[in-house]
Amino acid sequence: MSDQTPLHSTDPDNAKRYREQRARKTDPELLISGILQGDRVALSRAITLIESKKASHREVANTIINACLPHASRSVRIGITGVPGVGKSSFIEAFGKYLVRQGKKLAVLAVDPSSTRTHGSILGDKTRMQDLVLSEDAFIRPSPSGETAGGVARKTRETIILCEAAGFDTVIIETVGVGQGELAVHSMVDFFLLLKLAGAGDELQGIKRGIMEMADSVVINKCDGTNVKPAKKAQGEFKRALHLYPPKPGGWQPEVLTASALEETGIEAVWHTISECLVLRRKQGIFETNRREQNRMWLRNTIEDQLLSDFYGDPKIRAAFEEQLTAVENNTVSPFAAAQYLLGLSRQ
Ligand code: GDP
């Protein structure tokens, strides 16, 4: 799918060719067959359509997603979270290279709602994952920009489907361990990995209980140099702490491992743990049940998102909303009555 006729050409033939090339970029049939043949350009273009705010692009994107669905679901989906600086991208680089050496085809996506972004969004910085980016067997896609948490999550889920249809058998979804990202990622993966650092004896403090409960395993990263001893100590503390949580469905007991993304050590053990857990879950039918539950949840979420955006996007509501807010603030109308009035308007 190589193209590129100059945009400023005055030659009518060139202009026609340019229009045709543009049409090809959004032609669902071409994109679908490209994706199913593993064409990364077609995959990237289709993801751009998923991320687009244009209604016509959304329509094409939906056609592509529907065509890809029967070819999806065959991958292993792994979520990786941790606070900024813990070494997520370094770890994914080392882990990803290991997986590619094992013959896997790897897609790395990010769930990075703009609200959690500081400078340099995750995966947005081109210098990250330098080796993996060059690999023929890896596809790396940053988080869509300018999106709400719900928007990023939906788009990432749809992107997973396209990546799987394009033949990627392992999908890693990276998220920053602050904000709502990890909850969304947990609900789209088969295995959820928490990266941690050894600190000065305060490892267990400041961890959101929810994240620990979600984790299928914990990796203490940066276990190298003078940090080996503290990392091993932290490993012991996490093991004890995790034993206090109720076991996961099927009896899976989360492992606590150590690794160094920098020295690329401990990486294989992480993959063994993930594989062991997934073999167990498949045997017990939990793997499939999880995915079915996730699909049900995403159906409900999509409906709720759509209803909300239809409601707030309705010009009648936009006109009346501020007025009702002021009335509620001034106690001239009760919040309940204002809500009933606005909901009534949206149904007219
Ligand atoms: P992220 O923000 O979680 O994606 O973290 P990065 O992967 O960008 O890493 C943050 C910093 O930690 C960088 O300076 C890395 O070089 C460093 N780092 C990452 N992994 C390791 C590791 O295993 N050992 C050591 N010593 N440093 C690491």
Side-chain angles (χ1 to χ4, degrees), residues 83-90 128 174 221-224 259-262:
V83 294
V86 71
K88 289 180 298 300
S89 65
S90 312
R128 303 175 92 222
E174 177 189 7
N221 190 34
K222 306 197 188 182
C223 180
D224 46 50
S260 165
L262 203 68

Side-chain angles (χ1 to χ4, degrees), residues 306-323:
Q306 189 66 52
L307 285 174
L308 276 181
S309 80
D310 286 352
F311 180 78
Y312 287 111
D314 181 341
K316 289 196 299 277
I317 301 297
R318 279 214 296 271
F321 194 70
E322 286 304 318
E323 193 185 284

Side-chain angles (χ1 to χ4, degrees), residues 132-183:
L132 207 53
V133 153
L134 297 176
S135 168
E136 283 282 302
D137 295 313
F139 176 82
I140 301 180
R141 181 85 182 189
S143 193
S145 56
E147 274 295 339
T148 59
V152 178
R154 177 178 61 74
K155 289 170 184 188
T156 307
R157 256 191 73 86
E158 293 176 348
T159 301
I160 294 174
I161 291 166
L162 300 199
C163 289
E164 291 177 347
F168 290 95
D169 53 31
T170 314
V171 181
I172 290 181
I173 302 147
E174 177 189 7
T175 189
V176 178
V178 292
Q180 306 138 300
E182 66 270 9
L183 198 66

Side-chain angles (χ1 to χ4, degrees), residues 65-82:
I65 294 163
N66 274 336
C68 286
L69 263 177
H71 307 274
S73 291
R74 293 190 199 124
S75 80
V76 164
R77 305 168 183 167
I78 303 163
I80 297 188
T81 193

